[in-house]
């Protein structure tokens, strides 16, 4: 495990936001930081956790680790970079809108209405259609403004701290944020919001620039064509002008369209009518759709904001949930249903007595098989029996009991014939954290020795069993070393007589037979 000293204090960053989304972001970033290596040393943090559900305790644990890693400050720097990138993009949108307006009506020649419309509405209309297509299932289209803002935030934070795992916080913070948004299926809404805001700002700058130019300078408008008939422009004008006319913008009649196509000289009032028609089309087909789409994305994000949360389905988070457990009172079965099936094996802790409160050493079995005696025959009278943990309810009960007794030492027995999976190791580590010292006893199979087998064959079988046992114990030793328990391991061979009335706390000093 990667280490923090137990003296490190959990000092909240008072400048950090306290919203649920912020806390979930820090929790998921810690999960990503622990993925490539091993969980961080969190003994002091776990002991200070208050009772609650498994998710609440894991979230509190990850938040404390986030503060130790400096993630809140790194997250603030990343957000500052994100905001900086947003302001830069907003400035670029305004500049782009102004330049587009100047390029459309600039020069001494009359303004071609068709080219003006396609130039100002063409690209933004294509991007709007692409966003609508991205809402379809199975289609993924990224948002350029969102990507640029994320890159800006990552660049700004890139000079910050590097986590103990070796990966910079600038990489993990956006990964965690985007992962949470993707799992909530809100990436189209977030990317769309960035895109709509950018185009809305650009179109607003274009409209304001055109309005200023039309109010202070004289412009002539024309429909120019060599192949098309005037009827095409009439239908085009009437079709596009219907919606703007509903909002109060003027709609040119057929006579004005024909005279414009023919190149006749128009009066100042007729030129003003064309400028108003152009502005109306830009408002209805450019500015207004982006505004409505942006508001729809805001509403989408607001309604679905509760779905943004850490990845609780990830393996590491599941292990932490199993390890910290639900410390609330578990429901008890008052009247079990007497079925026809054979009675199930129930192994529980012995009832707590007055003497238990004075015992400073407790013994715990962890998923021991039926052929492993529990409690062990060599259990000293001064050692309390916390029980053999078989299921989650028993695990929570034992952890609560150890928390109440606060023993000086805990003695944990495991089945060395089983694979040391992550869930078992997480429970073992939590048991070890309930006492000042912890010792582990590993039970392994007895050595083969059948008299009916020939000597050479018996020797080969014995060698194979010893090799397999050595590999199993080596795996346990390796994983226990990662938990910091490598120096307190005892290996006991099943079927051998343990030392009479041996005290479990002395087991590590004199290993039983079968230790490799």
């Amino acid at each position: 495990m990667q280490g923090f000293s137990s003296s490190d204090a959990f000092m909240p960053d008072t400048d950090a936001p306290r919203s649920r989304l912020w806390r979930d972001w820090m929790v998921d970033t810690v999960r990503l930081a622990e993925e490539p290596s091993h969980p961080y040393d969190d003994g002091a943090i776990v002991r200070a956790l208050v009772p609650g559900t498994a998710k609440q305790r894991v979230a509190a644990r990850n938040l404390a680790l986030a503060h130790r890693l400096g993630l809140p400050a790194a997250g603030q720097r990343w957000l500052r970079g994100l905001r900086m990138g947003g302001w830069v993009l907003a400035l670029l949108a305004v500049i782009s809108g102004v330049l587009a307006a100047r390029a459309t009506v600039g020069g001494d020649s009359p303004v071609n209405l068709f080219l003006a419309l396609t130039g100002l509405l063409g690209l933004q209309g294509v991007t709007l259609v692409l966003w609508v297509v991205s809402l379809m299932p199975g289609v993924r289209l990224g948002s350029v403004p969102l990507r640029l803002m994320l890159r800006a935030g990552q660049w700004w934070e890139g000079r910050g701290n590097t986590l103990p795992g070796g990966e910079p916080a600038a990489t993990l913070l956006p990964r965690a944020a985007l992962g949470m948004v993707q799992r909530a299926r809100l990436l189209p809404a977030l990317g769309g919001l960035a895109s709509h805001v950018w185009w809305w700002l650009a179109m607003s700058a274009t409209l304001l620039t055109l309005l200023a130019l039309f109010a202070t300078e004289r412009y002539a408008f024309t429909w120019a064509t060599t192949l098309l008939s005037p009827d095409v422009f009439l239908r085009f004008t009437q079709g596009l002008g219907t919606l703007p006319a509903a909002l109060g913008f003027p709609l040119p009649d057929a006579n004005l369209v024909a005279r414009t196509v023919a190149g006749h000289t128009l009066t100042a009032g007729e030129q003003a009518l064309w400028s108003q028609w152009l502005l109306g089309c830009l408002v209805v087909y450019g500015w207004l759709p982006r505004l409505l789409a942006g508001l729809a994305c805001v509403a989408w994000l607001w309604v679905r904001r509760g779905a943004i949360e850490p990845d609780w389905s990830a393996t590491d988070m599941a292990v932490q949930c199993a390890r910290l457990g639900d410390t609330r009172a578990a429901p008890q079965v008052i009247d079990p249903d007497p079925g026809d099936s054979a009675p199930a094996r129930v192994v529980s802790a012995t009832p707590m007595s007055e003497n238990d409160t004075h015992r400073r050493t407790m013994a715990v079995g962890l998923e021991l098989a039926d052929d492993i005696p529990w409690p062990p025959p060599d259990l000293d009278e001064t050692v309390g029996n916390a029980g053999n943990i078989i299921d989650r309810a028993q695990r929570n009960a034992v952890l609560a009991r150890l928390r109440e007794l606060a023993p000086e030492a805990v003695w944990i027995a495991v089945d060395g014939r089983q694979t040391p999976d992550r869930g078992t190791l997480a429970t073992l580590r939590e048991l070890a954290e309930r006492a000042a010292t912890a010792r582990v006893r590993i039970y392994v199979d007895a050595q083969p020795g059948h008299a009916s087998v020939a000597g050479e064959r018996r020797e080969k079988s014995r060698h194979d069993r010893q090799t397999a046992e050595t590999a199993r114990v080596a795996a346990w030793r390796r994983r226990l070393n990662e938990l910091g328990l490598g120096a307190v391991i005892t290996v006991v061979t099943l079927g051998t007589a343990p030392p009479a009335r041996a005290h479990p706390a002395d087991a590590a000093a004199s290993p039983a037979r079968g230790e490799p």
Side-chain angles (χ1 to χ4, degrees):
M1 292 187 295
Q2 303 182 24
F4 295 108
S5 65
S6 60
S7 61
D8 289 342
F10 170 44
M11 298 296 294
D13 185 358
T14 56
D15 295 332
R18 295 303 177 193
S19 67
R20 181 191 65 85
L21 291 179
W22 172 271
R23 295 192 298 270
D24 288 348
W25 184 29
M26 294 294 106
V27 169
D28 209 52
T29 304
V30 171
R31 175 187 68 82
L32 292 178
E34 291 183 308
E35 271 186 351
S37 52
H38 297 290
Y40 296 115
D41 186 5
D42 57 0
I45 294 174
V46 170
R47 284 190 291 271
L49 292 179
V50 298
T53 65
K55 289 185 178 181
Q56 289 173 341
R57 289 165 59 81
V58 171
R61 176 249 184 200
N62 282 21
L63 278 175
L65 286 174
H67 282 273
R68 286 186 171 182
L69 291 168
L71 288 178
Q76 292 284 25
R77 288 194 299 271
W78 187 77
L79 289 178
R80 282 196 294 269
L82 196 66
R83 286 192 291 267
M84 179 193 69
W87 284 113
V88 170
L89 286 175
L91 181 60
L92 289 176
V94 172
I95 294 175
S96 300
V98 172
L99 294 178
R102 292 292 301 178
T104 300
V105 299
D108 298 331
S109 58
V111 178
N112 189 309
L113 290 169
F114 181 79
L115 295 180
L117 283 174
T118 54
L120 296 175
L121 296 177
L123 183 58
Q124 78 92 20
V126 170
T127 57
L128 182 60
V129 171
L130 290 177
W131 175 74
V132 174
V133 172
S134 70
L135 301 180
M136 299 179 180
V139 179
R140 291 185 178 181
L141 295 175
S143 170
V144 174
L146 180 61
R147 278 205 207 103
L148 293 176
M149 291 174 61
L150 292 174
R151 290 292 178 87
Q154 187 171 344
W155 170 80
W156 186 263
E157 162 56 15
R159 302 165 294 174
N161 59 320
T162 299
L163 302 181
E167 193 166 2
T171 303
L172 294 178
L173 288 167
R175 277 181 54 196
L178 279 180
M180 292 169 61
V181 173
Q182 285 177 331
R183 287 189 298 273
R185 299 180 180 179
L186 288 175
L187 192 57
L190 186 62
L193 179 61
S195 177
H196 299 325
V197 169
W198 195 92
W199 283 108
W200 182 82
L201 288 173
M203 187 57 62
S204 298
T206 299
L207 287 171
L208 292 176
T209 303
L210 289 177
L211 188 61
L213 292 175
F214 291 161
T216 57
E217 298 184 22
R218 185 182 299 276
Y219 291 93
F221 298 91
T222 182
W223 287 106
T225 181
T226 303
L227 298 175
L228 302 178
S229 66
D231 293 339
V232 174
F233 290 105
L234 177 61
R235 289 193 295 269
F236 185 78
T237 303
Q238 297 290 333
L240 286 180
T242 301
L243 288 178
L247 298 180
F249 290 95
L251 181 63
D253 56 17
N255 182 45
L256 178 57
V257 173
R259 293 176 60 239
T260 303
V261 174
H264 295 167
T265 301
L266 303 181
T267 65
E270 291 172 333
Q271 299 289 8
L273 189 147
W274 277 120
S275 67
Q276 295 173 35
W277 178 87
L278 177 61
L279 291 173
C281 289
L282 294 178
V283 168
V284 172
Y285 301 111
W287 184 86
L288 194 57
R290 289 295 181 175
L291 177 62
L292 296 178
L295 293 177
C297 289
V298 170
W300 187 358
L301 291 169
W302 177 259
V303 171
R304 290 276 300 165
R305 68 189 186 281
I308 303 177
E309 61 178 5
D311 189 3
W312 295 108
S313 63
T315 302
D316 291 342
M317 296 292 269
V319 170
Q320 291 296 340
C321 286
R323 170 197 168 205
L324 299 181
D326 190 338
T327 56
R328 300 174 301 175
Q332 302 293 328
V333 178
I334 305 301
D335 296 317
D337 182 17
D340 297 333
S341 59
R345 177 179 181 236
V346 177
V347 183
S348 61
T350 56
M352 186 181 296
S353 64
E354 292 292 333
N355 294 330
D356 278 341
T357 59
H358 304 291
R359 289 173 175 168
R360 307 313 300 164
T361 301
M362 297 295 293
V364 182
L366 186 54
E367 299 179 359
L368 300 180
D370 292 333
D371 58 343
I372 299 178
W374 187 265
D378 62 325
L379 189 67
D380 193 272
E381 294 180 355
T382 61
V383 179
N385 174 23
N388 180 23
I389 298 176
I390 299 298
D391 54 29
R392 182 172 180 176
Q394 292 174 345
R395 169 185 172 278
N396 293 335
V398 169
L399 290 175
R401 187 179 187 186
L402 293 180
R403 186 184 300 107
E404 180 181 353
L405 295 178
E408 294 179 356
V410 62
W411 176 71
I412 309 169
V414 299
D415 190 348
R417 301 165 299 181
Q418 304 295 329
T419 303
D421 57 69
R422 302 181 68 175
T424 301
L425 292 172
T427 303
L428 194 149
R429 178 167 62 178
E430 189 170 10
L431 290 171
E433 291 171 348
R434 291 294 189 270
T437 60
R439 303 182 184 278
V440 181
R441 173 180 288 187
I442 304 176
Y443 285 97
V444 296
D445 279 330
Q447 303 292 343
H450 303 291
S452 59
V453 184
E456 183 176 338
R457 185 176 177 184
R458 183 171 61 246
E459 183 64 25
K460 182 179 183 300
S461 176
R462 180 176 181 274
H463 179 268
D464 292 342
R465 293 292 296 272
Q466 285 182 332
T467 302
E469 178 187 304
T470 301
R472 286 192 298 268
V473 174
W476 275 97
R477 285 188 178 278
R478 182 173 64 255
R479 301 306 297 271
L480 290 173
N481 279 329
E482 296 174 358
L483 298 180
L485 300 173
V488 290
I489 299 175
T490 301
V491 179
V492 176
T493 301
L494 292 173
T496 59
R501 312 304 294 174
H503 195 292
D506 300 330
S510 55
R513 186 168 68 89
E515 181 178 3

